[in-house]
Short mmCIF file of all heavy atoms in Angstrom, two decimals:
data_model
loop_
_atom_site.label_atom_id
_atom_site.label_comp_id
_atom_site.label_asym_id
_atom_site.label_seq_id
_atom_site.Cartn_x
_atom_site.Cartn_y
_atom_site.Cartn_z
N GLU A 312 5.66 38.68 10.23
CA GLU A 312 4.90 39.59 11.08
C GLU A 312 4.97 39.15 12.53
O GLU A 312 4.86 37.96 12.83
CB GLU A 312 3.44 39.63 10.60
CG GLU A 312 2.63 40.73 11.24
CD GLU A 312 1.21 40.79 10.70
OE1 GLU A 312 0.88 39.98 9.81
OE2 GLU A 312 0.44 41.64 11.18
N GLU A 313 5.19 40.11 13.41
CA GLU A 313 5.27 39.83 14.85
C GLU A 313 4.27 40.70 15.60
O GLU A 313 4.10 41.87 15.28
CB GLU A 313 6.69 40.10 15.37
CG GLU A 313 7.77 39.25 14.72
CD GLU A 313 9.16 39.60 15.22
OE1 GLU A 313 9.26 40.47 16.11
OE2 GLU A 313 10.13 39.02 14.71
N LYS A 314 3.62 40.11 16.61
CA LYS A 314 2.69 40.88 17.44
C LYS A 314 2.76 40.39 18.89
O LYS A 314 3.13 39.25 19.15
CB LYS A 314 1.25 40.76 16.92
CG LYS A 314 1.01 41.56 15.65
CD LYS A 314 -0.46 41.64 15.30
CE LYS A 314 -0.68 42.51 14.06
NZ LYS A 314 -2.10 42.54 13.66
N GLN A 315 2.37 41.28 19.81
CA GLN A 315 2.36 40.93 21.22
C GLN A 315 0.94 40.53 21.63
O GLN A 315 -0.05 41.09 21.15
CB GLN A 315 2.83 42.11 22.08
CG GLN A 315 4.30 42.43 21.90
CD GLN A 315 4.76 43.51 22.86
OE1 GLN A 315 4.11 43.82 23.86
NE2 GLN A 315 5.91 44.11 22.55
N THR A 316 0.88 39.56 22.55
CA THR A 316 -0.42 39.14 23.08
C THR A 316 -0.19 38.44 24.43
O THR A 316 0.95 38.21 24.83
CB THR A 316 -1.14 38.20 22.10
OG1 THR A 316 -2.46 37.94 22.59
CG2 THR A 316 -0.40 36.88 21.94
N VAL A 340 -5.07 37.10 18.15
CA VAL A 340 -4.42 38.24 17.51
C VAL A 340 -4.38 37.96 16.01
O VAL A 340 -4.20 36.82 15.58
CB VAL A 340 -3.00 38.47 18.09
CG1 VAL A 340 -2.12 37.25 17.88
CG2 VAL A 340 -2.35 39.70 17.50
N HIS A 341 -4.57 39.01 15.18
CA HIS A 341 -4.54 38.85 13.72
C HIS A 341 -3.09 38.90 13.26
O HIS A 341 -2.38 39.88 13.48
CB HIS A 341 -5.36 39.96 13.05
CG HIS A 341 -5.68 39.66 11.62
ND1 HIS A 341 -6.59 38.69 11.26
CD2 HIS A 341 -5.20 40.19 10.46
CE1 HIS A 341 -6.67 38.65 9.93
NE2 HIS A 341 -5.83 39.54 9.43
N LEU A 342 -2.66 37.82 12.57
CA LEU A 342 -1.25 37.70 12.22
C LEU A 342 -1.11 37.03 10.86
O LEU A 342 -1.62 35.94 10.63
CB LEU A 342 -0.54 36.85 13.29
CG LEU A 342 0.97 36.76 13.26
CD1 LEU A 342 1.61 38.12 13.51
CD2 LEU A 342 1.46 35.78 14.33
N VAL A 369 3.67 37.98 25.53
CA VAL A 369 4.70 37.39 24.67
C VAL A 369 4.61 37.95 23.25
O VAL A 369 3.57 38.48 22.84
CB VAL A 369 4.57 35.86 24.62
CG1 VAL A 369 4.80 35.24 25.98
CG2 VAL A 369 3.20 35.44 24.06
N THR A 370 5.71 37.83 22.51
CA THR A 370 5.73 38.18 21.09
C THR A 370 5.56 36.91 20.29
O THR A 370 6.25 35.91 20.53
CB THR A 370 7.05 38.86 20.70
OG1 THR A 370 7.15 40.12 21.37
CG2 THR A 370 7.12 39.11 19.20
N VAL A 371 4.64 36.95 19.31
CA VAL A 371 4.33 35.79 18.48
C VAL A 371 4.69 36.10 17.04
O VAL A 371 4.45 37.22 16.56
CB VAL A 371 2.83 35.42 18.57
CG1 VAL A 371 2.55 34.13 17.82
CG2 VAL A 371 2.41 35.29 20.01
N ARG A 372 5.26 35.12 16.37
CA ARG A 372 5.61 35.29 14.95
C ARG A 372 5.08 34.12 14.14
O ARG A 372 5.12 32.97 14.58
CB ARG A 372 7.13 35.37 14.78
CG ARG A 372 7.57 35.49 13.33
CD ARG A 372 9.05 35.68 13.18
NE ARG A 372 9.79 34.46 13.49
CZ ARG A 372 11.12 34.36 13.49
NH1 ARG A 372 11.84 35.43 13.22
NH2 ARG A 372 11.72 33.23 13.75
N ASN A 385 7.75 39.59 26.76
CA ASN A 385 7.90 41.04 26.85
C ASN A 385 7.62 41.56 28.26
O ASN A 385 8.17 42.57 28.69
CB ASN A 385 6.95 41.74 25.87
CG ASN A 385 7.20 41.31 24.44
OD1 ASN A 385 6.53 40.41 23.95
ND2 ASN A 385 8.16 41.92 23.77
#
Side-chain angles (χ1 to χ4, degrees):
E312 191 177 358
E313 299 177 3
K314 286 191 177 177
Q315 291 185 18
T316 187
V340 60
H341 196 71
L342 190 64
V369 296
T370 294
V371 186
R372 178 175 72 182
N385 302 95

